[in-house]
Amino acid sequence: MGSYRRAYEQSLTDPEAFWSAAAGLIDWRTSPSTVLDSSDAPFHAWYPDGVLNTCENALDRHVAAGNGDRTALVYDSPVTSTKRTYTYADLLGEVATFAGALSSLGVTKGDRVVVYLPMVPEALVTMLACARLGAVHSVVFGGFAPHELAARIDDAKPKVVVTASCGVEVSRVVEYKPLIDRALQLAAHQPERVVVLQRPQATAMLEEPRDVDWRALVVGAEPAECVPVAATDPLYVLYTSGTTAKPKGVVRDNGGHAVALAWSMANIYDVGPGDVWWSASDVGWVVGHSYIVYAPLLVGATTVLYEGKPVGTPDAGAFWRVVEEYAVKALFTAPTAIRAVKKEDPDAGQLAAYDISSLQTLFLAGERLDPDTWEWATERLRVPVVDHWWQTETGWPIAANLRGLEPMPIKPGSPTVPVPGWDVRVLDETGAEVPAGTEGAICIKLPLPPGALRTLWGDDDRFLASYLRAFDGYYLTGDGGYIDEDGYLYVMGRTDDVINVAGHRLSTGSMEAVVAGHPDVAECCVIGVHDDLKGQVPRGLVVLKAGSEIGPDELRAELVARVRDQIGAVASFKEVDVVAALPKTRSGKILRRSLRAIADGREEPVPSTIEDPSVLETLTPTLRGR
Ligand code: COA
Ligand code: AMP
């Protein structure tokens, strides 16, 4: 029996033994005597009596072991022409000092800190400083607009917000402070302080005494020690898109998270102490939390923080330049990034200019990896291109080709097999398991392994309703797919209204809420349709109010501006059609699935519950004629 099969079986038949052994990857202040407590099922607790500090595991222990001179962080920012390297000792110094600074503002264990920062070292410093104090960080992606930021501030109720004067996009400087100010005007909850990192590209106006300059704050701050926390205490809340306009605050604990990430680095990614690892994502997404910040530092590797894009900073050779310059062993990014490179440099001429011999594996996740992109990358890079599947909620991969445990043959289109700890089942609508090769709802039999979400912030009931009530005893992933005869999983796409635009997870529900707010709109729906570069893009269909005289171009421009203003540029909402009516079921539900199928050119049976089939027929030329 192979090592994968052995590990997978043990993780399901004897999870306590499996995760007890993995707990040895972490230094505990108090070792857990219980591995799994299911007394409050379906709320399961891993390592309930363990005590640790995540920052201590990510930094202090490496320095204490004599590895303070090892490189912890490489910051490479083509958009600001900056490069900087931090050893573990340097990073520990910065983090301890900023933790002291936060503590001087009254931040203590359990307080929330909202972080709205671009891809700068201070983002990692802030997150680790919160972890050091036992405070709970909540990072909001810089591409979200004030309205979205305000919703997160109202839900997390932070004591402090940490931000910068600006982010730097390829063609523009995005001033963050006006966005924060507007978010705080919209929010009911007000933080006591806003810490602002002034960057040379823009200077923010500070409103004293609420606003504090980062650099002034750290001068004279006393370095803070690590605060021991329970393994089950929250490390962070990360908001993600659900099917409604209200984002879901995924709660991650300290102990299970640290163990799972350390285990995944060795067994999935084959990355260990001293290896150079690059996750080209953003700290605002779960990939950034897990694999830019925590996992590489927990195992003593070097993490690359890249403030740039795959193309345009300055060209399609940017990724290969970084791989060569820092001798990156493994790169993790989204398929969209590779599609962008492929589009600009189809023959990989830019790649030929660099020596990428250090690169052993390319990992891709965040959206479906289409076989064309897989093939292009495999042929050009000549390394295994590994698709793997996970979600904000799970925090680490559910299905992967475990390069450190037992590399397996790759089947393009499949993220390979379930990872140890994840009891993946495909169910039909009655909750029965389907045979191999049959599509259904991909679910995980409870308990979820360490590192998965504990609940939704302040809303246990929504946690149960969103994930656990559909099928008793299972977590509903929201993805549909199948398992083939060899046990390989195929993830075909969401079964709900979540869409993935350029690897960014967005809710069509929240876009609909914004579009519906326009005074001329009677009814609307937003669907995700196929896009060659971004995987999916949103498309709006709008029915005008009777008597409205607005022209289609004017309406489109206003709706695009509205979504950009209220959700953010990252929504990439650009396509709107005015239609006479929307197809509905007899009970009044809009048939989004049928609309998606027509727009993507797929043949799908029209549901028998449709009220008026002629509405769908009338819309077909509009949907297909993009
Ligand atoms: N702050 C402010 N604005 C941001 C932003 C941020 N952090 N991130 C993106 N935006 C803006 C962009 O500037 C763009 O604005 P525009 O409409 O004025 O041009 C808009 O949001 C859409 O951004 P994006 O979807 O990223 O498109 P793009 O054309 O700028 O870049 C790619 C396309 C493919 C290069 C880019 O999407 C990419 O690198 N994707 C990979 C994503 C990824 O790593 N995801 C993480 C999951 S693993
Ligand atoms: P996020 O929470 O932003 O990580 O997005 C999670 C969603 O992205 C999943 O539910 C899937 O729909 C999609 N996704 C992530 N990785 C993959 C993958 N490897 N293959 C197919 N879909 C993926």
Side-chain angles (χ1 to χ4, degrees):
M1 191 160 65
S3 342
Y4 161 70
R5 184 61 35 213
R6 215 170 23 248
Y8 189 66
E9 278 181 21
Q10 196 208 8
S11 77
L12 301 191
T13 53
D14 194 355
E16 304 210 358
F18 185 88
W19 291 112
S20 169
L25 297 168
I26 290 305
D27 287 355
W28 300 85
R29 291 285 185 100
T30 307
S31 290
S33 63
T34 302
V35 177
L36 173 64
D37 176 4
S38 295
S39 58
D40 190 26
F43 295 90
H44 298 270
W46 289 97
Y47 313 114
D49 57 355
V51 176
L52 77 162
N53 182 281
T54 297
C55 178
E56 186 167 276
N57 274 278
L59 298 177
D60 303 60
R61 68 163 167 166
H62 303 310
V63 176
N67 294 318
D69 291 342
R70 196 177 273 165
T71 304
L73 170 65
V74 170
Y75 168 55
D76 186 295
S77 169
V79 290
T80 62
S81 307
T82 315
K83 293 175 188 175
R84 216 179 302 147
T85 294
Y86 298 74
T87 65
Y88 270 91
D90 295 336
L91 194 57
L92 173 56
E94 301 261 342
V95 168
T97 304
F98 192 62
L102 284 176
S103 173
S104 74
L105 298 180
V107 174
T108 58
K109 187 176 158 193
D111 286 338
R112 272 81 57 215
V113 174
V114 161
V115 183
Y116 190 67
L117 282 168
M119 288 283 284
V120 290
E122 288 80 0
L124 278 76
V125 169
T126 306
M127 292 163 78
L128 290 160
C130 290
R132 195 170 188 84
L133 297 176
V136 180
H137 60 70
S138 188
V139 183
V140 180
F141 176 62
F144 281 122
H147 193 264
E148 292 285 319
L149 185 53
R152 288 154 175 78
I153 288 172
D154 273 340
D155 200 69
K157 300 192 172 41
K159 187 174 256 182
V160 169
V161 171
V162 181
T163 190
S165 56
C166 65
V168 184
E169 284 293 288
V170 182
S171 56
R172 65 186 199 280
V173 169
V174 182
E175 291 205 26
Y176 276 17
K177 188 57 182 9
L179 303 178
I180 289 280
D181 289 342
R182 191 147 154 245
L184 292 180
Q185 278 162 10
L186 294 168
H189 173 83
Q190 297 298 307
E192 290 171 19
R193 298 300 183 100
V194 177
V195 181
V196 183
L197 175 76
Q198 298 282 17
R199 304 188 76 192
Q201 295 75 16
T203 302
M205 296 288 293
L206 302 189
E207 272 174 48
E208 289 174 349
R210 186 197 68 184
D211 299 346
V212 195
D213 178 83
W214 173 299
R215 291 195 183 84
L217 182 67
V218 295
V219 171
E222 281 292 312
E225 292 300 324
C226 291
V227 174
V229 299
T232 51
D233 280 340
L235 170 68
Y236 69 78
V237 178
L238 176 59
Y239 289 89
T240 190
S241 301
T243 49
T244 64
K246 191 173 183 284
K248 295 169 167 172
V250 165
V251 178
R252 195 85 59 210
D253 66 8
N254 275 272
H257 173 253
V259 172
L261 289 191
W263 189 90
S264 74
M265 258 343 237
N267 290 280
I268 298 178
Y269 299 105
D270 192 22
V271 167
D275 286 339
V276 182
W277 160 261
W278 177 22
S279 171
S281 176
D282 189 288
V283 288
W285 305 115
V286 69
V287 176
H289 280 61
S290 295
Y291 294 108
I292 294 176
V293 186
Y294 288 110
L297 298 177
L298 283 167
V299 301
T302 298
T303 184
V304 177
L305 179 74
Y306 175 72
E307 190 182 23
K309 301 262 174 175
V311 293
T313 57
D315 56 33
F319 272 23
W320 322 131
R321 193 264 303 160
V322 173
V323 169
E324 177 187 287
E325 198 162 333
Y326 307 108
V328 170
K329 177 180 175 186
L331 164 61
F332 177 175
T333 190
T336 304
I338 300 300
R339 285 197 296 270
V341 172
K342 175 178 163 221
K343 189 171 167 213
E344 205 128 302
D345 186 22
D347 300 324
Q350 311 254 25
L351 171 62
Y354 299 97
D355 172 5
I356 60 156
S357 55
S358 63
L359 189 70
Q360 293 184 10
T361 324
L362 172 65
F363 292 95
L364 297 173
E367 57 180 323
R368 185 170 150 73
L369 171 58
D370 52 289
D372 280 357
T373 304
W374 178 83
E375 201 177 299
W376 185 88
T378 303
E379 275 175 12
R380 310 294 161 165
L381 300 175
R382 300 183 181 282
V383 296
V385 175
V386 174
D387 182 12
H388 59 320
W389 168 63
W390 51 299
Q391 316 180 307
T392 305
E393 290 86 343
T394 68
W396 62 291
I398 313 167
N401 198 314
L402 292 104
R403 307 308 293 177
L405 183 62
E406 183 188 345
M408 295 177 126
I410 291 173
K411 292 195 195 185
S414 166
T416 318
V417 289
V419 168
W422 300 97
D423 191 352
V424 177
R425 311 285 176 107
V426 181
L427 307 181
D428 68 16
E429 57 282 2
T430 68
E433 266 183 73
V434 298
T438 307
E439 250 188 70
I442 311 179
C443 297
I444 320 285
K445 196 160 185 289
L446 299 178
L448 297 176
L453 81 170
R454 296 259 301 147
T455 185
L456 294 178
W457 183 252
D459 205 344
D460 285 349
D461 199 56
R462 189 171 180 209
F463 168 67
L464 295 173
S466 303
Y467 305 108
L468 304 189
R469 286 211 184 107
F471 300 108
D472 194 27
Y474 294 87
Y475 163 85
L476 179 76
T477 66
D479 281 304
Y482 64 93
I483 298 177
D484 75 5
E485 301 283 350
D486 300 327
Y488 277 54
L489 182 71
Y490 288 76
V491 181
M492 306 309 290
R494 298 287 306 194
T495 53
D496 55 18
D497 295 324
V498 167
I499 60 170
N500 236 297
V501 181
H504 311 312
R505 175 165 160 181
L506 297 160
S507 153
T508 53
S510 66
M511 291 183 224
E512 280 179 12
V514 175
V515 173
H518 188 284
D520 287 283
V521 171
E523 267 196 301
C524 68
C525 84
V526 177
I527 53 171
V529 296
H530 173 80
D531 182 80
D532 282 343
L533 174 64
K534 298 194 176 188
Q536 277 185 308
V537 288
R539 182 161 183 196
L541 297 172
V542 168
V543 180
L544 290 181
K545 281 187 181 152
S548 161
E549 288 181 358
I550 192 164
D553 289 343
E554 192 186 342
L555 179 72
R556 185 176 302 115
E558 285 182 20
L559 292 177
V560 167
R562 244 180 126 83
V563 173
R564 199 179 164 92
D565 181 54
Q566 293 197 30
I567 295 178
V570 71
S572 294
F573 180 81
K574 293 186 176 142
E575 295 181 38
V576 184
D577 286 296
V578 176
V579 298
L582 292 169
K584 292 185 184 160
T585 62
R586 282 186 285 276
S587 60
K589 275 182 80 173
I590 296 172
L591 290 165
R592 293 182 175 77
R593 193 190 159 106
S594 302
L595 290 169
R596 272 199 310 261
I598 295 173
D600 289 346
R602 276 182 283 118
E603 294 302 327
E604 254 189 36
V606 174
S608 56
T609 50
I610 190 164
E611 189 186 24
D612 177 0
S614 72
V615 174
L616 209 50
E617 283 156 27
T618 315
L619 279 176
T620 302
T622 310
L623 287 166
R624 295 237 161 118
R626 274 197 299 152

